[in-house]
Amino acid sequence: ATCALMLVLIPTVKSDTCAQRFALLTVVCEPRLRGVFAITACVAAAHFWAYTFIEPFLGQIPGIAPLTVALLLFGFGLSGFAGNVLTGLLIDRLMKPVIVGGLLALCLVLLGLGVFGPGLGVPTVLGLLTVWGAAIAALFGGLQTWVLRAAGPAAIPAAAIHTFVLNAAIGIGATLGAWVLGLTSVAGVMVSAGLVVVLPLLLMAWPMPANSSKRAPL
């Protein structure tokens, strides 16, 4: 239905197809942007690697009621909203610390949930979910900001590639999480997702190459 509405309602825009392809190719070849795309792919994959199976994980908490599961997920969403607001206030001055802090928080939460499992109890799990929700919101907002800053005048094609990477990683992460679930358990899914976050942490520590176009320093 959405596709049909788009075909009918969105106006046709004339554009130079060759120029568009060249702009996308330029963005893909930009070393600094490739680094941000790689970090985004890891973050999105790890998040949905674990979050796809968060409900069965919560259902294993001893004595938990279905309504409590719903409230825990609501708390996750509410903390995500708060994380968006906080990121908006800090991102202009502290972009890299926000991203690094989000990665550390996400990694520790996933490992904590996986290692200690549902036996942590409702209050502790709620606290970890709150940190997780705020962290992933900060990461998605921070990485998008990074892409737009690094791309400069090429922000539109860079944002298009970033969106493609993000959505592809969502599907890949959920699929890999399902594969791990078949081999281990929900706790194993959380631990493996947490280990995936180690990779973007290492990428953040690795010096990013200079922007070849030198359009928009970070």
Side-chain angles (χ1 to χ4, degrees):
T2 303
C3 181
L5 289 172
M6 290 171 64
L7 291 172
V8 173
L9 299 178
I10 294 180
T12 301
V13 178
K14 294 182 179 180
S15 61
D16 187 338
T17 304
C18 292
Q20 285 182 337
R21 290 175 180 172
F22 179 75
L24 291 173
L25 182 61
T26 301
V27 165
V28 172
C29 293
E30 182 61 59
R32 180 170 293 190
L33 287 172
R34 285 205 305 267
V36 186
F37 294 151
I39 292 170
T40 298
C42 292
V43 167
H47 170 62
F48 285 95
W49 185 309
Y51 188 72
T52 302
F53 307 100
I54 189 62
E55 188 173 354
F57 177 88
L58 297 177
Q60 294 179 357
I61 297 176
I64 193 169
L67 178 60
T68 307
V69 173
L71 291 175
L72 288 171
L73 293 175
F74 177 76
F76 178 92
L78 193 63
S79 65
F81 173 78
N84 271 320
V85 173
L86 184 61
T87 301
L89 296 174
L90 299 176
I91 200 68
D92 287 336
R93 295 176 289 108
L94 302 169
M95 186 182 71
K96 187 170 182 179
V98 165
I99 294 173
V100 172
L103 288 171
L104 284 171
L106 180 61
C107 182
L108 293 175
V109 166
L110 292 175
L111 291 176
L113 289 173
V115 171
F116 299 103
L120 288 168
V122 172
T124 303
V125 170
L126 175 59
L128 292 174
L129 286 179
T130 300
V131 175
W132 182 356
I136 196 62
L139 285 169
F140 284 153
L143 290 168
Q144 185 177 38
T145 301
W146 192 355
V147 167
L148 295 177
R149 285 189 186 179
I156 292 178
I161 296 295
H162 185 251
T163 301
F164 165 77
V165 169
L166 180 67
N167 284 283
I170 288 172
I172 292 170
T175 302
L176 291 175
W179 177 69
V180 172
L181 180 63
L183 296 176
T184 58
S185 63
V186 181
V189 170
M190 297 295 166
V191 170
S192 56
L195 294 176
V196 171
V197 185
V198 174
L199 181 57
L201 278 168
L202 294 175
L203 289 173
M204 288 295 297
W206 193 269
M208 288 287 181
N211 216 348
S212 61
S213 62
K214 296 183 180 179
R215 291 168 177 164
L218 291 178

